[in-house]
Amino acid sequence: MSQNRRPIYIGTEPDDATCERHGQMERQAPVVTFDGHIHALTKPVSVCNCPECCLEIARESGGPSQTEQDAFESCWRQLVDAEWRNGLQRLFIDLGRGAVEDDTIHIHEKLDAEEIPNYLRDSEEWTVQTMGNSSAE
């Protein structure tokens, strides 16, 4: 089996998010949690993953592999741990403490609407809730 895996794609062409081994990747939330904070991509780019590659990597590294989402989060954590301080953080803006649940991004702090990237605030796929309001749309 080839070790040439591409478990995660971050870019502006989601149609290019294809795993050579498993085909089209699945889209993920345009935010990540790191140190308990929500970090949104600064530009409207897509985050996609190959569930099969993530499951393989999670199993090999002893990470959680009960579900595809667990495996994606494990792969994402490995990428963030390895690359966050080496430039990956430049792609993201820290929105403060929060969590992601289904298609809702919960931010546990008060933010002005302008502090949330336009693509995220105007998204039809994601709802952003901040402390003190029901939606940042």
Side-chain angles (χ1 to χ4, degrees):
M1 178 176 1
S2 168
Q3 291 300 310
N4 254 349
R5 291 185 278 211
R6 183 179 175 195
I8 296 174
Y9 168 88
I10 300 173
T12 58
E13 300 294 331
D15 292 339
D16 290 345
T18 303
C19 173
E20 291 178 13
R21 296 171 51 219
H22 301 110
Q24 193 65 34
M25 294 182 172
E26 295 179 6
R27 291 188 74 161
Q28 295 290 330
V31 299
V32 298
T33 55
F34 184 67
D35 292 339
H37 283 228
I38 295 288
H39 297 266
L41 288 157
T42 56
K43 297 190 178 354
V45 299
S46 296
V47 175
C48 303
N49 81 301
C50 173
E52 291 87 356
C53 284
C54 286
L55 281 167
E56 289 173 9
I57 291 169
R59 287 183 187 122
E60 290 169 8
S61 66
S65 58
Q66 291 81 7
T67 68
E68 290 178 352
Q69 187 63 32
D70 288 342
F72 166 70
E73 289 173 9
S74 176
C75 280
W76 184 248
R77 174 52 82 186
Q78 288 179 33
L79 174 66
V80 167
D81 286 348
E83 300 297 331
W84 189 256
R85 289 178 180 85
N86 292 329
L88 187 64
Q89 84 274 10
R90 290 182 314 208
L91 300 175
F92 293 86
I93 182 171
D94 186 350
L95 298 177
R97 295 177 298 108
V100 178
E101 183 180 345
D102 298 322
D103 59 354
T104 302
I105 301 164
H106 300 276
I107 302 170
H108 303 153
E109 301 187 23
K110 286 190 174 192
L111 293 176
D112 292 330
E114 298 80 37
E115 294 179 83
I116 299 169
N118 287 339
Y119 79 90
L120 193 56
R121 191 174 58 235
D122 299 337
S123 173
E124 293 181 15
E125 296 177 28
W126 299 97
T127 301
V128 179
Q129 290 185 341
T130 61
M131 180 181 275
N133 74 359
S134 60
S135 176
E137 298 178 317

